[in-house]
Amino acid sequence: MSFVRSKIKNEIVGVGVTDTPEGLAQIEMPQCAATIWRRQLGSEFRAWIDALDPPKLPKGRLVLRPDSVADAVRHLCDIAGMEETPERNWLEHDIAHLAERFSGIMRSPYLRLRLDPISTNACRKFHIDAIHARLICTYRGTGTQYGISRGDQDPQRVFTLATGAPMIMRGTLWPQDPPSGLLHRSPPIAGSGETRLVLVLDPIFDLDEAD
């Protein structure tokens, strides 16, 4: 795993990059604002998911235990009318695997899972989420964009996650100091005809937090 450690004005902006899913756990390193699993989706999967009509993409927002994710995602795919294919099976398995690994890293008994087909400029402003941490993975379309904040300004240099590369980012409720100085946003795609499919996972430590 490679790791770029940096600090700007009492904020951490270190980003860990790993070639294995185990490396995502480096988010707990003291100076790590985010970790990225550097992987590429298979060409057959990308051709399949890119060819789907947007209404066939699964959509939902649920709070559930990690071991319930596989069944829940399968149900969302059924609702969308997605045909049973090896690519669909891989998608369901991958989301369940990421949920299990993320909940283990966060030590959270529940997760908030969101699957969103996005064709607008959703969350187009750079920001840090008001949560403990978040995992984001884009299965179709342009990946999440991120960069280093200097003061109140947007990042001058913007990076775009590869499609299929999961990223865990610290939020403002991360318990250790200093705070994260890494901002992110959804890429601006309005009017392009592009529809993204984005997975978002948040740790839930108490169901009272789930609203």
Side-chain angles (χ1 to χ4, degrees), residues 1-206:
M1 174 174 177
S2 61
F3 182 73
V4 179
R5 177 175 296 182
S6 185
K7 184 175 177 180
I8 298 177
K9 294 184 179 180
N10 298 318
E11 295 180 338
I12 60 164
V13 294
V15 177
V17 180
T18 176
D19 292 320
T20 67
E22 291 79 10
L24 289 171
Q26 299 301 314
I27 189 66
E28 297 186 300
M29 291 178 64
Q31 296 295 322
C32 192
T35 54
I36 299 168
W37 175 12
R38 181 173 49 194
R39 69 168 183 178
Q40 295 183 349
L41 297 175
S43 58
E44 291 184 0
F45 176 85
R46 291 197 67 166
W48 170 79
I49 199 166
D50 288 347
L52 290 176
D53 289 337
K56 296 289 186 180
L57 297 173
K59 178 179 182 179
R61 180 186 175 103
L62 305 165
V63 174
L64 68 175
R65 292 188 181 276
D67 58 7
S68 299
V69 168
D71 287 341
V73 172
R74 188 174 302 113
H75 184 58
L76 294 177
C77 290
D78 286 342
I79 292 174
M82 184 180 284
E83 294 183 6
E84 286 276 1
T85 65
E87 291 80 13
R88 168 181 158 166
N89 292 336
W90 183 89
L91 176 66
E92 294 171 359
H93 174 80
D94 193 64
I95 293 172
H97 171 249
L98 290 178
E100 180 181 7
R101 186 165 297 279
F102 182 57
S103 66
I105 295 170
M106 296 291 111
R107 303 172 186 88
S108 60
Y110 301 96
L111 293 171
R112 179 185 292 111
L113 179 150
R114 190 170 81 238
L115 268 174
D116 265 346
I118 299 172
S119 57
T120 64
N121 289 346
C123 297
R124 62 185 177 83
K125 294 184 178 180
F126 280 101
H127 63 284
I128 301 176
D129 297 304
I131 55 173
H132 184 94
R134 172 165 286 175
L135 182 147
I136 296 179
C137 182
T138 302
Y139 288 99
R140 166 172 157 163
T142 308
T144 296
Q145 296 181 327
Y146 66 96
I148 296 170
S149 170
R150 297 179 184 274
D152 295 328
Q153 299 180 354
D154 285 348
Q156 294 184 353
R157 188 177 181 188
V158 176
F159 302 90
T160 301
L161 276 176
T163 305
M167 181 182 196
I168 298 178
M169 297 171 286
R170 292 186 183 185
T172 59
L173 302 184
W174 187 267
Q176 283 85 36
D177 289 327
S180 172
L182 199 74
L183 307 184
H184 69 280
R185 72 173 182 183
S186 294
I189 60 170
S192 68
E194 178 179 341
T195 298
R196 306 169 65 224
L197 179 64
V198 182
L199 168 71
V200 177
L201 297 173
D202 300 334
I204 301 293
F205 301 99
D206 189 320

